[in-house]
Amino acid sequence: MDKRTLTERDICTKFILPAVKAAGWDEIQIREEVFFTKGRIIVRGKLVTRGKAKKADIVLYYKPNQPIALIEAKDNHHSVGDGMQQALDYAETLDVPFVFASNGDGFVFHDRTGRSAKTEANLRLDAFPSPADLWARYRAWKGLDAEAEQIVLQDYYDDGSGETKRYYQVNAINRTMEAIAKGADRVLLVMATGSGKTRTAFQIIWRLWKAGRKKRILYLADRNVLIDQTMVNDFRPFGAAMAKLSTNSKTIERQDGTKEELTLALDKRRRIDTAFEIYLALYQAITGPEERQKIYKEFSPGFFDLIVIDECHRGSAADDSAWREILTHFSSATQIGMTATPKETAYASNTDYFGPPVYTYSLKQGISDGFLAPYKVIKVHIDRDVEGYRPELGQLDRDGREIEDRIYNAKDFDRTLVLDDRTLLTARKVTEFLKESGDRYQKTIVFCVDEEHAARMRQALINENTDLVAENPRYVMRITGSDAEGQAQLGNFIDPESTWPVLVTTSRLLSTGVDAQTCRLIVLDRAVGSMTEFKQIVGRGTRVHEDTKKFYFTLIDFRGASSHFADPDFDGDPVQIYEPGQDDPILPPEAVSDGLDDNDQDPCEPGADEVVIDDPDLPSPAGGSQRKIYVDGVGAKIIAERVEYLDANGKLVTETLRDFTKTALKNRFASLDDFLKRWKSTERKQAIIEELGAEGLPLDAIADELGKGLDPFDLICHVAFDRKPLTRRERAENVKKRDVFTKYGPQARAVLDALLEKYRDEGVLNLDDTNVLRVTPFTDMGSVVQLIKAFGGKEGFEKAVHEMQDALYDATG
């Protein structure tokens, strides 16, 4: 037989596969033509195509879902090793250590573990390694003993459907299993929103449970809907071993239409049934500020072997978080954190607690692979946001109060000052987009500043869409934390089979965790300062839903929040950014390049390797495009400055934010001296700020109004007691002038100088927390132990910092 006349597939069938089988690999261990990506979704106007999916010729599995080797085949016109570079690229993606290339004459073997005498070697056709040989190499590379091997080789759950797991899910599961098998007790997984974190968590828990390594398990999340969905869907195989830590039973409708009542582990008296093995709980349901709310303490600290924390970028990342106390109570348990957005700031850190991620699957990678939806961004600039607003002298608000004469900007709108015309304009532009797109039933989330803003936005959208609201009053709904009617419709909003509601206004309730598969439009009408929250909001639209032809989504930004795209920490660039001019339609133009290297082809035409998956022939909206309307000073008016607060008697009162803050502070502190004594005697200054926040008086809003650079100490002195404030910079400079660090050695002085700079730049109050020494610039000065030793120990460090704080607040200004 002349090999040179055979195709690549013939070479596989007649030479490569027989050699592999002769080495002892069976049919279950060999998979041919393994497509491991979907092919990037490419959007050009309304034409949507998929790029070419990546395919490995042969993948070898020691056990199902335990890939160990990859073979790239070429026809016999190629040399034996010609497929190696492509194979190595695939192997890195699939997390496979042993790589082979062949043209039917023999093999080139590349050992990615680096443990072979030669990284790359030639093998005869009859010298292919056996499964036992490669597994022994794998075990040695991973450092697995017999006990660890048993855990790593524990079978996955198989529902019999034949559905294969995505490669990155397998990677995440296997990396976690190996880490725990080798004794890791804190594990962090970073997986983009929409990539299947819950499904991944289930397989990890299932395998550890079945292996007998973890017998009692707690799964924590921060949304009731996540717990309920998880119990009836991904975690269903746990059956009678599973229960929810809640007193509120709920009937859940499963995807097949059947109904199921959740099993509860708490009775009406909140007594716990400890007979279950798998517990699912809402963080907020098992802890709280009062001791009686801390249900988790009913379990002994050693009760759970494993805790899985969903969306651990939230409160569990902060040292003083209420959720963190749960983890501390069960500190002996293995704890796995899962997040789409690892949090790393001076105040909170996932990696400090869990360690570096054992595996990361980013939004950018998910879009590149075609598993996650790309998106367009439409930036809309409203003149009042750009130019600001200054009232006429003596102008009154809706309640007859004179408006403070200053320039109001985008940070003020809908927070401290309401321009109704601006809300109406935003609602009109969103409706215009829906009409021009040809689909007014696309699921839409509008993020607002607060619940009151979300209520006004709901009303404005209703008035812009009266025809569809007449068809069904649930066409527009507000879904916020305090709105029971709205929350009751959350399940319908995220259900692909349910039409209503369509347009949803919210503040923060839908920014994380909710699996809105069919969401096609995200509208930002509030600032998003946190990169973590911005990624979470974008994640509401990243799920692909092929049944409803949802392959991409659109983000309309009215507040400049999409400036986060320029941040190097953002890892999933949009396919198009469109900034409509004053007379331009809000819908982006059709002809848009996808950004790929195809300069020789029409950007509107699919490439040779692309498959058209959606090309709707939608008619243009009746009457053509409407002229874009901006608030230009003619129609824009200051309508009201109306901020409602709860007073000491629990009644709603209306007054300016500054007046309200002053009244509340003076009720809290009888005099300036009273406040100064309290501030000076409290070692942990942040505790005072937290107490005020718990009483409904967060200082952030008043800080925004007065300007940045003021310490909470100065905000309180200035607003409540009319003292001239000093900026953080001025306080830091005063300490430097007094030269209070002279009694310390060079290293200790350097640490105190850096802490002073950190206070000046960031306003850090808990400077005596040694965790601050774990971030730059302190990491460049030495280890935490070395830096504390420079003060003679932890007590000396804390004393020095307290002296510095006393010096900072020595003068009220």
Side-chain angles (χ1 to χ4, degrees):
M1 183 184 300
D2 183 359
K3 290 182 182 178
R4 298 178 71 80
T5 65
L6 300 178
T7 64
E8 182 181 295
R9 182 73 345 229
D10 289 334
I11 292 292
C12 268
T13 303
K14 297 180 183 298
F15 296 97
I16 297 175
L17 285 175
V20 172
K21 291 176 182 178
W25 297 84
D26 61 33
E27 296 288 347
I28 297 175
Q29 293 174 305
I30 302 170
R31 281 185 58 201
E32 299 180 67
E33 296 192 301
V34 178
F35 286 89
F36 57 92
T37 71
K38 293 275 286 183
R40 184 183 186 125
I41 297 172
I42 302 163
V43 183
R44 301 180 180 89
K46 293 172 186 167
L47 177 69
V48 184
T49 65
R50 270 201 189 274
K52 191 174 182 180
K54 291 184 178 180
K55 177 192 70 173
D57 291 329
I58 300 172
V59 178
L60 303 179
Y61 298 79
Y62 186 68
K63 286 194 71 174
N65 293 303
Q66 187 73 53
I68 191 173
L70 180 148
I71 305 172
E72 185 63 27
K74 296 294 181 186
D75 62 38
N76 205 248
H77 289 280
H78 293 81
S79 65
V80 66
D82 271 4
M84 182 54 74
Q85 291 192 151
Q86 183 180 357
L88 287 172
D89 178 53
Y90 290 174
E92 183 176 2
T93 300
L94 295 175
D95 214 12
V96 168
F98 307 119
V99 189
F100 298 85
S102 178
N103 66 351
D105 291 337
F107 295 96
V108 171
F109 171 42
H110 186 106
D111 184 356
R112 296 181 63 236
T113 72
R115 299 177 68 88
S116 296
K118 289 184 178 180
T119 300
E120 207 159 274
N122 291 305
L123 302 177
R124 299 190 315 275
L125 206 58
D126 60 359
F128 195 85
S130 68
D133 181 7
L134 289 188
W135 181 249
R137 293 171 184 247
Y138 186 92
R139 272 189 60 182
W141 173 48
K142 291 290 187 178
L144 303 176
D145 58 22
E147 183 183 357
E149 179 187 33
Q150 181 186 1
I151 297 167
V152 167
L153 291 181
Q154 177 62 45
D155 291 336
Y156 278 64
Y157 173 76
D158 185 357
D159 62 4
S161 67
E163 180 184 0
T164 58
K165 287 150 194 68
R166 294 174 178 177
Y167 79 85
Y168 60 83
Q169 294 170 347
V170 170
N171 291 351
I173 295 164
N174 290 344
R175 290 271 191 98
T176 303
M177 292 293 291
E178 288 170 2
I180 293 173
K182 291 194 291 183
D185 59 4
R186 300 291 183 268
V187 177
L188 179 64
L189 280 175
V190 177
M191 297 176 67
T193 300
S195 60
K197 290 194 295 295
T198 309
R199 188 176 304 172
T200 301
F202 164 72
Q203 287 290 352
I204 292 169
I205 296 171
W206 176 270
R207 293 176 70 195
L208 289 169
W209 184 55
K210 282 295 185 180
R213 182 66 176 256
K214 306 297 178 186
K215 297 178 181 179
R216 288 201 180 103
I217 296 146
L218 175 63
Y219 179 84
L220 290 172
D222 68 340
R223 293 282 188 271
N224 239 324
V225 67
L226 298 180
I227 295 291
D228 297 343
Q229 286 177 344
T230 298
M231 289 186 73
V232 299
N233 295 322
D234 290 316
F235 279 33
R236 183 175 174 79
F238 288 123
M242 172 179 61
K244 180 181 178 182
L245 283 171
S246 174
T247 58
N248 298 317
S249 184
K250 186 176 181 181
T251 301
I252 302 295
E253 184 171 327
R254 299 185 66 241
Q255 291 176 339
D256 60 7
T258 60
K259 293 185 177 180
E260 182 174 341
E261 191 169 282
L262 301 180
T263 303
L264 303 182
L266 289 179
D267 62 19
K268 294 300 180 183
R269 296 184 180 179
R270 294 170 75 82
R271 293 176 301 194
I272 297 173
D273 185 345
T274 58
F276 297 98
E277 296 176 72
I278 314 293
Y279 293 83
L280 293 88
L282 194 69
Y283 297 103
Q284 301 92 319
I286 62 173
T287 189
E290 297 180 24
E291 196 63 27
R292 64 179 180 81
Q293 297 172 308
K294 302 182 188 297
I295 295 173
Y296 70 90
K297 288 188 176 181
E298 298 297 316
F299 293 103
S300 65
F303 185 85
F304 291 110
D305 305 309
L306 173 67
I307 300 179
V308 178
I309 306 100
D310 188 32
E311 303 295 358
C312 69
H313 62 277
R314 303 198 68 192
S316 57
D319 285 342
D320 56 357
S321 158
W323 299 343
R324 184 72 166 262
E325 66 183 3
I326 302 173
L327 308 186
T328 302
H329 182 73
F330 299 114
S331 60
S332 62
T334 299
Q335 297 176 5
I336 301 172
M338 306 188 78
T339 181
T341 49
K343 191 167 189 174
E344 197 65 44
T345 71
Y347 312 99
S349 169
N350 303 90
T351 56
D352 178 52
Y353 184 77
F354 290 104
V358 296
Y359 187 73
T360 298
Y361 189 70
S362 68
L363 171 61
K364 185 175 184 178
Q365 187 63 49
I367 292 174
S368 177
D369 288 342
F371 292 120
L372 298 180
Y375 53 97
K376 300 177 180 180
V377 176
I378 300 173
K379 293 183 176 181
V380 179
H381 303 287
I382 296 176
D383 62 344
R384 286 299 174 212
D385 295 350
V386 176
E387 300 167 8
Y389 164 76
R390 184 174 183 177
E392 296 177 6
L393 189 63
Q395 187 172 349
L396 304 180
D397 67 10
R398 183 185 293 166
D399 300 313
R401 298 172 64 95
E402 184 174 342
I403 304 166
E404 182 183 355
D405 181 21
R406 67 177 180 86
I407 296 176
Y408 296 86
N409 56 36
K411 287 186 177 181
D412 299 302
F413 299 149
D414 299 302
R415 182 182 294 278
T416 59
L417 181 140
V418 173
L419 293 175
D420 268 354
D421 282 354
R422 190 194 176 286
T423 305
L424 298 176
L425 175 64
T426 303
R428 192 175 308 132
K429 299 308 292 181
V430 171
T431 304
E432 182 182 323
F433 172 86
L434 293 169
K435 289 179 177 178
E436 290 183 7
S437 73
D439 180 10
R440 293 174 69 191
Y441 291 92
Q442 55 186 294
K443 296 289 178 104
T444 300
I445 304 175
V446 184
F447 288 98
C448 302
V449 168
D450 54 24
E451 295 194 5
E452 186 269 341
H453 182 206
R456 287 188 289 106
M457 184 62 71
R458 169 191 167 275
Q459 184 178 21
L461 286 167
I462 284 174
N463 290 332
E464 290 292 331
N465 295 274
T466 52
D467 54 339
L468 296 186
V469 173
E471 183 181 343
N472 191 306
R474 289 184 296 154
Y475 179 76
V476 186
M477 292 201 74
R478 181 182 75 156
I479 301 182
T480 58
S482 66
D483 193 325
E485 291 79 10
Q487 286 198 56
Q489 292 299 320
L490 180 56
N492 288 326
F493 179 71
I494 65 181
D495 183 0
E497 303 299 321
S498 178
T499 303
W500 323 99
V502 179
L503 311 184
V504 164
T505 68
T506 188
S507 54
R508 281 175 167 78
L509 185 63
L510 297 179
S511 63
T512 64
V514 177
D515 186 7
Q517 301 175 51
T518 56
C519 177
R520 296 172 186 263
L521 178 61
I522 293 173
V523 179
L524 286 174
D525 196 28
R526 71 170 171 86
V528 183
S530 159
M531 173 62 76
T532 296
E533 186 180 16
F534 183 70
K535 285 184 177 182
Q536 286 291 323
I537 288 173
V538 170
R540 297 311 99 216
T542 55
R543 287 168 175 82
V544 174
H545 197 262
E546 300 200 15
D547 290 348
T548 57
K549 293 190 175 182
K550 187 247 172 152
F551 297 107
Y552 68 96
F553 69 100
T554 303
L555 188 151
I556 302 180
D557 179 17
F558 288 93
R559 299 272 185 158
S562 55
S563 61
H564 283 296
F565 291 136
D567 192 306
D569 286 340
F570 195 80
D571 62 1
D573 299 330
V575 296
Q576 179 186 7
I577 295 180
Y578 171 56
E579 298 191 39
Q582 185 170 346
D583 297 316
D584 295 331
I586 192 169
L587 197 70
E590 293 289 322
V592 180
S593 171
D594 55 36
L596 303 178
D597 295 329
D598 52 4
N599 297 327
D600 295 331
Q601 74 173 70
D602 184 339
C604 289
E605 292 297 322
D609 290 334
E610 296 173 30
V611 177
V612 176
I613 54 178
D614 194 20
D615 185 12
D617 184 20
L618 297 174
S620 300
S625 301
Q626 298 180 17
R627 184 180 184 275
K628 186 176 182 193
I629 303 169
Y630 283 83
V631 179
D632 57 9
V634 176
K637 299 177 182 177
I638 183 66
I639 303 300
E641 183 183 22
R642 186 182 181 89
V643 186
E644 292 185 322
Y645 302 96
L646 283 174
D647 67 8
N649 299 315
K651 294 183 178 180
L652 285 173
V653 296
T654 302
E655 58 184 324
T656 67
L657 176 63
R658 185 162 181 168
D659 286 345
F660 168 74
T661 306
K662 182 171 185 174
T663 302
L665 286 172
K666 296 195 84 167
N667 286 337
R668 188 74 172 76
F669 306 108
S671 64
L672 177 60
D673 286 341
D674 180 35
F675 168 67
L676 293 177
K677 285 177 184 177
R678 175 71 197 283
W679 186 269
K680 189 172 183 179
S681 65
T682 304
E683 290 189 358
R684 186 171 172 269
K685 313 301 183 189
Q686 184 66 28
I688 297 176
I689 311 307
E690 289 168 0
E691 285 177 20
L692 294 173
E695 294 173 8
L697 188 64
L699 297 178
D700 294 348
I702 193 70
D704 289 341
E705 183 174 297
L706 295 178
K708 292 184 177 181
L710 292 185
D711 187 291
F713 175 88
D714 283 284
L715 283 172
I716 294 170
C717 289
H718 177 58
V719 173
F721 307 109
D722 300 318
R723 290 300 183 104
K724 179 185 176 183
L726 296 178
T727 65
R728 293 195 305 267
R729 177 179 292 277
E730 287 170 330
R731 289 199 174 276
E733 290 301 321
N734 286 343
V735 172
K736 283 188 175 182
K737 289 175 186 175
R738 291 200 289 272
D739 203 11
V740 297
F741 304 152
T742 52
K743 64 181 177 180
Y744 296 102
Q747 188 172 37
R749 283 202 305 272
V751 170
L752 292 171
D753 280 335
L755 285 171
L756 198 59
E757 292 296 308
K758 206 157 197 64
Y759 164 82
R760 186 193 70 184
D761 296 337
E762 301 175 21
V764 180
L765 292 179
N766 295 337
L767 295 171
D768 59 347
D769 184 350
T770 55
N771 282 319
V772 77
L773 303 178
R774 299 180 186 277
V775 299
T776 55
F778 304 103
T779 49
D780 298 329
M781 298 179 183
S783 68
V784 174
V785 174
Q786 289 172 334
L787 297 182
I788 291 177
K789 192 175 180 180
F791 293 89
K794 188 176 181 181
E795 287 186 8
F797 169 72
E798 291 175 349
K799 182 181 178 184
V801 174
H802 291 155
E803 288 176 353
M804 183 177 75
Q805 287 181 328
D806 289 343
L808 276 170
Y809 302 117
D810 190 41
T812 59

